[in-house]
Amino acid sequence: MKKRWLIGNWKMHGDLESNKALVETIRGALPKPEDDIAVAVCPAFPYLFQLAELTQGTEIGVGAQNVSDHLQGAYTGETSPLMVRELGGRFAIIGHSERRQYQGENDGLMGRKALAAIDAGLIPVICVGETAEERDSGRTHEVLARQLDAAFGYIRTAHDEIILAYEPRWAIGTGIAATPEIIQGEHEFLRQRIAIRDREFAARLPIVYGGSVKASNAASIFAMPDVDGGLIGSAALNAQEFIAIYRELAASQPKP
Ligand code: 13P
């Protein structure tokens, strides 16, 4: 059975006390995770070590929200994926639209970061997604293909463990998720595009959806055949909401 993923992106939220309360509530309330479901949280960098300690020996993994495209060197203010790995991180979100929007990150940098993350032993969660304007002008597939090709131009496929996240920018933080039909259509498009490079890899690649996922819409999104889980923003900061989303994922049809 294919693994399904529930990943919380905590963005620039949290502090020592609230992080502890949040993760302890999640940890205590999650039913024993099914073998085919993995849960992870991605706190801001300064709290990686705290979360790695708090989740030690549990089923909850920890990831970073970004990493450098270099493993070491004179890059002031950057964080090496090797450092994330040493602190107990297993994942790194790469190319999130907020980094594209506010930090000017581009497709090439996303590809190099994904490769550096893999080289450091992390699983990159590679984010792609179109803006409202790109969708309205009928360029969604062109944009997704460009972002995907840039990332996969750097990374190998067959041997790498990667998670792909479809996050339409217009659905992030708006409270209004893309419809299940749109999500399924774009996930299918992404999988087919990757299949051109490597059919077997495309079939087993987890593709998760992000953008205003909450307990009330999770079931209809997770029911889609090409949706292998969720990348959750604001709802991941609310323990009860995150647990409810987990339950919806666990109740959804396993992916063959
Ligand atoms: P929201 O769930 O707050 O829309 O954020 C989604 C996201 O950006 C996850 O990476």
Side-chain angles (χ1 to χ4, degrees), residues 99-127:
R99 297 207 57 82
R100 293 172 185 269
Q101 189 175 354
Y102 304 122
Q103 317 298 329
E105 291 198 3
N106 59 29
D107 295 337
L109 183 57
M110 178 177 80
R112 294 197 299 278
K113 286 185 173 193
L115 182 59
I118 291 169
D119 287 345
L122 299 176
I123 299 174
V125 182
I126 299 171
C127 300

Side-chain angles (χ1 to χ4, degrees), residues 130-254:
E130 78 286 4
T131 63
E133 190 247 310
E134 287 162 344
R135 169 161 288 273
D136 292 346
S137 57
R139 289 188 291 131
T140 298
H141 285 182
E142 177 199 319
V143 170
L144 294 182
R146 192 200 70 219
Q147 294 173 342
L148 203 59
D149 291 352
F152 281 82
Y154 281 91
I155 52 191
R156 308 154 298 260
T157 49
H159 306 294
D160 294 330
E161 197 174 0
I162 288 160
I163 298 169
L164 186 62
Y166 171 56
E167 294 211 319
R169 223 190 264 189
W170 47 272
I172 294 177
T174 59
I176 301 167
T179 64
E181 293 71 28
I182 288 179
I183 297 168
Q184 169 58 25
E186 304 313 349
H187 282 217
E188 213 176 316
F189 170 78
L190 292 166
R191 203 181 295 285
Q192 283 168 359
R193 182 99 191 163
I194 294 166
I196 298 170
R197 290 174 186 272
D198 187 332
R199 179 171 289 278
E200 185 272 333
F201 175 83
R204 67 178 161 83
L205 175 71
I207 307 181
V208 302
Y209 169 77
S212 297
V213 177
K214 43 198 167 187
S216 59
N217 60 20
S220 61
I221 294 170
F222 295 149
M224 295 292 118
D226 278 296
V227 176
D228 303 305
L231 180 53
I232 318 298
S234 53
L237 298 170
N238 177 322
Q240 296 315 322
E241 192 73 13
F242 192 69
I243 292 158
I245 295 171
Y246 174 89
R247 294 212 170 99
E248 296 294 359
L249 184 59
S252 69
Q253 188 76 17

